């Protein structure tokens, strides 16, 4: 049979997963899937490069088979040629400093970024233009902090003030989007672009009356149509702003579109929604669900991730939804958790080897009474230095037992000992 020649534009090179026994693993292979749930293993998440023999030893201990990525050429059918092209994920990041050191820097970064974001949005509300230079500067500082160590700034993003919801939401989406991009392995330049998309995604809300935005009850159909107009306002505002990455306009316009075509304002379907808009859509939904809003109380990070998981493939991009769940993890920094022994604490840093055993600062005793703050590394449970009664029982909402994360920001995150 004569080999058919094809247009190179109609062929894509993509990764295919191949199942192999762990005995065949070699350094340099990319493991994309395990033969068991990642929650049952000490690995950060599915999807990592085998860099040392220790990685292979750990895989041998937990798995019999794994899936590794192999590159193949694939013909793209005519009807699918408009589908999304994924951005290159070639960058690999490591934490450059420990979390305690970055906390000191991140505190200043977050405080200044919040001030600039609030001023930027207030200026737009008063009829001014978008301050693109200050927006870029804010994103740049956030990118630098997250590349040094993402836990510190993610911790700060948990500290909310309901009276400043829109500004803090925009900043938090910026921070989470950058951290998400870091986890995806996107290059630094792309992280800057994504951060700007996140920071300005809701700028159009500054053209919506505060009476509607802050209405405590359900919106009428007419009011909801007005709120949905923020995507169009955002597009128009950003199109008239100079020096902005073009994707920022697209994200402001499209971050409420859904894969099944039920979103707004244009009811776009999967093939018409950019990757940046898909990323920000997931982060936007997560941050909104985990914050107290005028019309709905916050839910826990665990419950929010369950909703994103349930809606993957319909509302949210399936692959990106799963990767975002990996990014946030079981117990993200700033989570309020109850231990099996009844004590209550705040998650300070995640443990990349044992995701279910982070460092926690306990603040309430077994009777839910205030106690001297103490930082506990739950990974000591693995070595037997701590009992299993220190395992995390559940995640609590911010404000549970009168524990509010912003109170720790206000007192400067004073800790009883280094962590």
């Amino acid at each position: 049979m004569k080999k058919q020649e094809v247009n190179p534009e109609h062929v894509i090179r993509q990764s295919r997963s191949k199942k192999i026994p762990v005995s065949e693993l070699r350094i340099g292979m990319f493991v994309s899937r395990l033969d068991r749930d990642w929650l049952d293993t000490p690995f950060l998440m599915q999807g990592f490069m085998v860099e040392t023999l220790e990685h292979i030893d750990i895989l041998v201990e937990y798995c019999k088979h794994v899936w590794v990525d192999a590159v193949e050429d694939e013909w793209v059918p005519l009807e699918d040629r408009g589908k999304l092209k994924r951005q290159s994920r070639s960058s690999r990041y490591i934490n450059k400093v420990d979390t305690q050191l970055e906390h000191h820097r991140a505190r200043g970064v977050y405080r200044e970024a919040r001030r600039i974001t609030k001023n930027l949005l207030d200026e737009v509300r008063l009829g001014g233009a978008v301050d693109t230079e200050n927006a870029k500067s804010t994103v740049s500082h956030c990118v630098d902090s997250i590349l040094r160590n993402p836990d510190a700034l993610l911790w700060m993003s948990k500290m909310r003030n309901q009276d400043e919801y829109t500004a803090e939401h925009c900043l938090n989406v910026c921070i989470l989007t950058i951290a998400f991009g870091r986890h995806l392995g996107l290059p630094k330049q792309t992280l800057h672009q994504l951060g700007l998309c996140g920071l300005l995604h809701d700028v159009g809300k500054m053209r919506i009356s505060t009476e509607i935005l802050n209405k405590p009850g359900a919106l009428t159909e007419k009011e909801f149509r007005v709120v949905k107009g923020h995507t169009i306002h955002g597009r128009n505002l950003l199109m008239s702003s100079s020096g902005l990455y073009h994707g920022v306009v697209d994200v402001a316009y499209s971050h409420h579109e859904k894969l099944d075509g039920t979103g707004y304002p244009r009811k776009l379907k999967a093939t018409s929604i950019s990757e940046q808009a898909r990323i920000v859509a997931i982060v936007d939904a997560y941050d909104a669900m985990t914050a107290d809003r005028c019309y709905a109380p916050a839910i826990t990070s665990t419950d929010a991730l369950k909703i994103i998981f349930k809606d993957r493939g319909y509302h949210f991009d399936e692959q990106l939804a799963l990767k975002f769940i990996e990014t946030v993890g079981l117990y993200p920094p700033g989570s309020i958790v109850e231990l099996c022994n009844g004590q209550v604490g705040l998650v300070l840093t995640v443990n990349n080897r044992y995701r279910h055993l982070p460092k926690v600062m306990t603040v309430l005793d077994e009777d839910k009474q205030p106690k001297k703050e103490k930082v506990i590394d739950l990974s000591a449970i693995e070595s037997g230095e701590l009992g299993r009664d220190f395992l995390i029982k559940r995640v609590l909402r911010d404000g549970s037992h009168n524990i509010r994360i912003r109170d720790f920001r206000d007192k400067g995150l004073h800790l009883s000992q280094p962590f």
Side-chain angles (χ1 to χ4, degrees), residues 266-280:
R266 293 174 288 169
K267 297 188 180 300
L268 299 179
K269 290 193 174 182
T271 56
S272 301
I273 306 172
S274 69
E275 182 169 37
Q276 295 97 322
R278 296 179 189 214
I279 287 173
V280 172

Side-chain angles (χ1 to χ4, degrees), residues 303-369:
D303 288 338
L305 293 178
K306 286 179 181 177
I307 291 172
I308 290 172
F309 182 81
K310 176 177 67 70
D311 289 342
R312 74 196 192 284
Y314 300 96
H315 292 178
F316 305 116
D317 182 289
E318 180 157 13
Q319 295 179 40
L320 291 174
L322 296 175
K323 286 295 182 183
F324 181 72
I325 292 169
E326 293 179 8
T327 303
V328 174
L330 288 171
Y331 310 116
S335 299
I336 300 174
V337 294
E338 181 180 0
L339 308 182
C340 289
N341 60 20
Q343 294 186 39
V344 174
L346 293 93
V347 175
L348 297 177
T349 65
V350 297
N351 185 323
N352 288 341
R353 183 175 176 86
Y354 303 110
R355 297 292 285 180
H356 62 300
L357 302 174
K359 286 186 180 178
V360 173
M361 181 175 69
T362 54
V363 294
L364 298 182
D365 63 19
E366 293 83 353
D367 299 317
K368 307 300 187 288
Q369 298 300 309

Side-chain angles (χ1 to χ4, degrees), residues 203-270:
V203 70
K205 284 187 175 178
M206 297 304 99
R207 292 289 189 259
I208 308 296
S209 71
T210 54
E211 289 77 12
I212 293 180
L213 285 180
N214 299 330
K215 183 179 178 180
L219 296 175
T220 65
E221 185 177 340
K222 182 179 179 180
E223 288 169 336
F224 188 46
R225 284 200 302 270
V226 171
V227 170
K228 289 196 291 186
H230 80 275
T231 57
I232 299 171
H233 293 309
R235 177 201 63 183
N236 295 341
L237 279 165
L238 295 171
M239 282 183 69
S240 63
S241 302
S242 61
L244 276 179
Y245 161 62
H246 65 86
V248 178
V249 179
D250 170 65
V251 169
Y253 195 26
S254 307
H255 66 278
H256 283 291
E257 301 288 359
K258 298 175 180 178
L259 296 193
D260 60 5
T262 61
Y264 65 85
R266 293 174 288 169
K267 297 188 180 300
L268 299 179
K269 290 193 174 182

Side-chain angles (χ1 to χ4, degrees), residues 87-139:
Q87 297 187 53
S88 171
R89 288 155 167 66
S90 58
S91 301
R92 289 160 48 197
Y93 300 102
I94 60 171
N95 292 346
K96 298 177 181 178
V97 299
D98 64 33
T99 307
Q100 183 185 12
L101 179 59
E102 187 56 30
H103 258 288
H104 294 291
R105 294 184 185 179
R107 196 157 50 236
V109 169
Y110 188 81
R111 186 185 301 116
E112 181 64 7
R114 189 178 55 171
R115 182 189 69 79
I116 291 175
T117 303
K118 186 176 185 304
N119 289 345
L120 184 152
L121 295 179
D122 286 345
E123 185 67 24
V124 174
R125 186 183 296 282
L126 294 173
V130 177
D131 187 344
T132 57
E133 291 309 310
N134 264 333
K136 290 178 181 178
S137 176
T138 297
V139 169

